[in-house]
Amino acid sequence: MKKKQFLVVGLGRFGSSMTRTLVDNGHEVLAVDKDAELVQDIAPYATHAVQADCTDEVVLKQLGVSNFTHAIVAIGDDLQASILTTLMLKEMNIPIVITKARDEMHGNVLRKIGADKIIYPERDMAVRLANQLSSNSIIDYIELSEEYNIVEMLAPPAMIGLSLQKLNIRARFGCTILAIKTEQRMNIAPSADDKIEAGNILLVIGSQEQVLQLENYYERKK
């Protein structure tokens, strides 16, 4: 895996967790925050940790942020600082700027000023957990976009012993089984002849409505 260089601005829980994970994955991270205590806390884990105000264009240039391929703006409640920092990073031609948004209105502003990706950590985690708690078979849930999700679900009893061709999931529900997991292996892009066995975990891609229809249908067939 090619090492990447990340700038992380804002070292609250989200920014500090992002920094640690990126470093653990072998990348270089410059972690920046105005709060000296937060900088001190992350210093043992980041490649470089600096106390600085990233709403100051001169400071950004001194940090050499234009050399980074990715910037993550993880500023929490200071909306003005979040917006201004995102705007300046885009003007400095950083290829990918990802910004944490507090709500939809904040996200809309970030989108208009050029943020490449906007994330809503609290909303996304709430949706993910709610979907898990609402289902008897869903193990995990990842929202790819407004249209598509990937769901990890325990194979319902009514599927056991049937091949993918027999189940005909795509034609009946509009979603697709991407992979079948067993304790020993992951079967990526399974063939039409592959059969579902007890304990299998299915990775399904589709809209929330399609996946729900699939789950409800097999729940009724118990």
Side-chain angles (χ1 to χ4, degrees), residues 160-196:
I160 307 305
L162 300 178
S163 68
L164 295 187
Q165 184 176 31
K166 183 75 172 177
L167 289 168
N168 204 16
I169 296 297
R170 184 172 179 80
R172 295 169 66 193
F173 302 102
C175 45
T176 302
I177 295 178
L178 297 176
I180 302 173
K181 290 172 62 177
T182 68
E183 291 184 2
Q184 291 77 30
R185 62 188 289 264
M186 169 86 82
N187 180 4
I188 302 292
S191 71
D193 294 329
D194 285 331
K195 293 185 177 181
I196 306 297

Side-chain angles (χ1 to χ4, degrees), residues 9 32 34 52-60 63 73 75 78-89:
V9 181
V32 185
K34 290 193 299 183
D53 180 3
C54 284
T55 61
D56 187 330
E57 187 176 3
V58 174
V59 170
L60 289 177
L63 291 173
V73 181
I75 297 171
D78 190 339
L79 301 189
Q80 182 175 338
S82 167
I83 293 165
L84 188 56
T85 301
T86 300
L87 179 60
M88 288 192 295
L89 291 174

